Amino acid sequence: MKRLFLLAFLFAPFILSASPKYWIYLKNKDLNAAPAISPLTVENRIKLGLAASDELDLPVKSDYERALREQSVSIINRSKWLNAVSAVMTSEQAMKVRELDFVQEVVPIDPGFYIARTKAIEKAQMAPVMSQVQANAFTKENISAKDVTIGVIDAGFYGADSSLSLTQIFSNKRILGIRDYVKPGRAGELLFSTAESFSDMHGTEVLAAIAGIDFQDEIQYGMATNAKFYLARTDYSLREYRGEEDNWIAAMEWMDSLGVRLINTSLGYAKGFSDPKENYVPSQMDGKTSAISKAAQIASDRKGIMLIVSAGNEGDDKSWEIVSAPADAKGVLAVGATNGKLWNRIGYSSVGPEFLSYIKPNVSCFSLYGTSLSAPVITGFAACLLQANPKLTNKELISLIEKSAHLYPYGNNFVGYGVPQASRALALAKAPYLPDNAKLINAKGRSIDVDVNSEDQMVAIYRKKTDKDVIAQQVAKVQNGKIALKRQNGERFTTIDLKNYVIEVAWD
């Protein structure tokens, strides 16, 4: 079968300036300083049963910043969570800074950042995903993420204020704040009117996939049509590199300080350093190596933030294939992409590393144009659930979305637990229960005929060597109400995906 390339996602690392950027990790904090968070943040945490504040909320010590400036170090961003600052320095400066008694570690931040670039959203492309996730179940109950605030960390929001699909967001003044971490000090509104490349529309398309609705053509692109937003630009479109991970962390801490509980980011970090010795390698996608994954885990465990991220678009890249950071962090909801008809993994969608003890991606949904657009769909989904039950914690919300997905409890490292279903999710949000949409069959020998009830003649199956790790994704034919399976070498489990029902075959 000929593979069709839509040229919707381009990945290109660029070599940057001679002076690299560094993280400067510091040894301690001023425990008498005031926490740098808002009263709303404190209120939200108390409601979620978390500490109102802790040492991570204390700012970086001003004395340390002053001492660094005396070394001619120009600080770019500060991370109170990591107790670190970022700065562009020469190698000579870095050596001197390492010798300062209050400095714990100096770590270079080098090129290797990837952004999933998207084509403009078209009617026929977004309609299927709204149907797939049962968006009408929210509409019927008048749920549209009212009173829910969402943070979006992305590359640019060019044209957002004039987009027909976002008219209701801007006309009702539901953009609460904007920050440009690429060009600090620049008026945030310029993000809407200034473009340097087509990637500057990336955040606009993500925003539409979360909350877009075109009243003129009566087309719904996203589910959170009445949400409020904080927007942050952390990537400079003409230089895609991992060196801007400090921008991303700063943006997340800013949103946390304002009480934001739900954040979407369709950015990822993988490989492509100017110095190949400093590239990430797949084994480092372990949820605890990269700074961005560490910060994401802090956001989940200590700050109660629901962080939804794109799994990555490296599924067809044989030198990588797996999810990129921060999708590897255990505490985030990583979203993959499926085909429209069979709901199995679309080729470009990154798979979860086999060495992880937990499933990544967590869930998936239809997207022709990358996980950059599947993640915001599920962000809108999550926002609607927060309207339905504002008391849900971030971890309860992740569990709920996973349980609502069509393959639950038989997830895998290709599509996670599958496609979330709004009808199931709403039922779970109101009264916890275990979905009755699965069956386990024990099989002996090398073959079995499985009875199925399916209107489709062809269904997806996953052959697995463990309860989560896929050997092969295939298509099986339904004949006379049965699927004939022959066990492959190394196969211990087979998942039969019937969309509204899942059958798991455990081979003895």
Side-chain angles (χ1 to χ4, degrees):
M1 177 179 176
K2 182 179 286 187
R3 188 172 296 172
L4 176 64
F5 288 91
L6 296 172
L7 301 179
F9 293 86
L10 304 176
F11 301 87
F14 291 88
I15 297 176
L16 303 179
S17 62
S19 295
K21 189 186 288 187
Y22 293 83
W23 278 115
I24 303 171
Y25 289 91
L26 308 171
K27 287 186 178 178
N28 50 47
K29 288 186 174 183
D30 180 0
L31 299 183
N32 294 316
I37 53 177
S38 69
L40 179 58
T41 300
V42 172
E43 181 183 341
N44 285 343
R45 291 181 186 171
I46 292 174
K47 287 180 179 178
L48 296 172
L50 300 170
S53 65
D54 57 27
E55 187 177 335
L56 295 181
D57 296 314
L58 302 179
V60 172
K61 287 184 73 170
S62 57
D63 290 349
Y64 293 167
E65 289 194 37
R66 186 163 48 252
L68 289 170
R69 287 195 293 270
E70 290 173 357
Q71 296 290 327
S72 299
V73 173
S74 179
I75 294 172
I76 299 171
N77 285 306
R78 300 157 181 80
S79 171
K80 57 182 183 286
W81 292 355
L82 301 180
N83 195 23
V85 299
S86 62
V88 172
M89 299 186 291
T90 64
S91 57
E92 291 79 10
Q93 281 181 300
M95 290 178 63
K96 291 180 180 179
V97 168
R98 283 189 176 97
E99 299 302 316
L100 297 174
D101 59 4
F102 59 84
V103 172
Q104 178 173 315
E105 189 178 14
V106 177
V107 179
I109 310 172
D110 283 320
F113 170 80
Y114 290 79
I115 178 174
R117 297 177 175 172
T118 66
K119 279 187 175 181
I121 298 171
E122 299 172 12
K123 302 175 187 178
Q125 293 157 7
M126 287 305 293
V129 72
M130 291 293 101
S131 174
Q132 187 190 44
V133 300
Q134 301 178 340
N136 63 334
F138 291 128
T139 305
K140 287 179 181 177
E141 297 204 23
N142 199 29
I143 294 175
S144 55
K146 189 177 185 297
D147 298 324
V148 176
T149 301
I150 302 172
V152 180
I153 302 175
D154 218 281
F157 300 90
Y158 177 70
D161 59 343
S162 58
S163 170
L164 287 177
S165 64
L166 298 174
T167 300
Q168 83 286 0
I169 301 294
F170 286 86
S171 62
N172 292 319
K173 298 181 179 179
R174 286 195 268 113
I175 301 297
L176 304 182
I178 310 165
R179 279 204 179 177
D180 187 346
Y181 287 88
V182 175
K183 297 182 178 179
R186 188 172 73 153
E189 289 74 11
L190 290 177
L191 291 182
F192 305 138
S193 59
T194 305
E196 295 167 301
S197 81
F198 65 84
S199 289
D200 289 319
M201 288 188 65
H202 188 268
T204 302
E205 294 162 358
V206 165
L207 195 57
I210 296 173
I213 183 169
D214 189 332
F215 291 102
Q216 181 176 324
D217 292 337
E218 298 183 350
I219 300 169
Q220 185 173 351
Y221 300 120
M223 284 167 271
T225 53
N226 277 303
K228 302 173 185 177
F229 293 90
Y230 284 99
L231 309 179
R233 179 195 185 209
T234 63
D235 168 61
Y236 182 47
S237 59
L238 296 181
R239 57 173 193 181
E240 299 169 13
Y241 72 117
R242 188 167 64 92
E244 290 173 333
E245 66 177 13
D246 58 322
N247 293 345
W248 189 92
I249 294 172
M252 188 166 59
E253 291 189 16
W254 169 61
M255 291 176 180
D256 169 64
S257 73
L258 296 168
V260 177
R261 293 181 54 198
L262 175 60
I263 297 176
N264 178 93
T265 187
S266 290
L267 309 175
Y269 298 74
K271 60 178 184 175
F273 295 106
S274 55
D275 180 359
K277 294 179 181 178
E278 297 188 8
N279 279 349
Y280 278 133
V281 295
S283 62
Q284 292 176 307
M285 296 297 101
D286 57 3
K288 53 190 177 183
T289 294
S290 69
I292 193 172
S293 293
K294 291 177 183 177
Q297 196 61 42
I298 288 173
S300 172
D301 291 343
R302 305 280 290 273
K303 308 306 173 187
I305 292 175
M306 174 70 165
L307 184 60
I308 300 181
V309 305
S310 51
N313 304 323
E314 290 80 45
D316 283 329
D317 181 354
K318 296 303 180 184
S319 68
W320 190 266
E321 295 186 318
I322 63 170
V323 299
S324 53
D328 60 330
K330 185 177 183 180
V332 311
L333 186 78
V335 185
T338 72
N339 288 290
K341 187 175 182 180
L342 290 175
W343 296 15
N344 56 0
R345 184 180 73 92
I346 200 166
Y348 65 76
S349 187
S350 294
V351 305
E354 293 183 3
F355 54 77
L356 290 181
S357 61
Y358 46 88
I359 287 178
K360 290 292 173 178
N362 301 71
V363 294
S364 300
C365 67
F366 173 66
S367 175
L368 278 179
Y369 295 126
T371 57
S372 268
L373 290 185
S374 56
V377 168
I378 302 305
T379 297
F381 190 101
C384 287
L385 292 175
L386 280 177
Q387 179 189 338
N389 186 351
K391 295 182 180 180
L392 289 169
T393 68
N394 60 321
K395 293 186 179 181
E396 287 172 341
L397 190 52
I398 288 176
S399 176
L400 188 157
I401 292 173
E402 289 178 340
K403 288 178 180 177
S404 79
H406 82 291
L407 291 180
Y408 188 86
Y410 301 116
N412 61 62
N413 66 333
F414 270 36
V415 295
Y417 290 102
V419 180
Q421 304 290 285
S423 61
R424 293 181 192 170
L426 282 172
L428 283 161
K430 294 174 182 177
Y433 75 103
L434 288 177
D436 183 20
N437 63 298
K439 181 179 181 180
L440 177 64
I441 296 175
N442 292 305
K444 296 182 179 180
R446 304 295 301 180
S447 63
I448 186 175
D449 288 342
V450 181
D451 292 322
V452 299
N453 183 12
S454 174
E455 295 179 359
D456 297 321
Q457 291 298 306
M458 308 298 289
V459 300
I461 65 171
Y462 301 92
R463 298 186 181 275
K464 302 184 294 185
K465 57 184 173 183
T466 69
D467 60 351
K468 75 174 180 69
D469 297 319
V470 176
I471 300 172
Q473 170 182 282
Q474 297 175 344
V475 176
K477 187 174 183 179
V478 180
Q479 293 182 307
N480 300 320
K482 297 180 182 292
I483 291 177
L485 294 178
K486 289 186 178 180
R487 186 180 185 182
Q488 294 185 351
N489 291 334
E491 184 176 7
R492 295 180 56 202
F493 300 91
T494 306
T495 304
I496 302 174
D497 178 2
L498 303 174
K499 294 184 182 175
N500 63 345
Y501 200 79
V502 58
I503 299 174
E504 185 83 345
V505 177
W507 297 93
D508 291 336

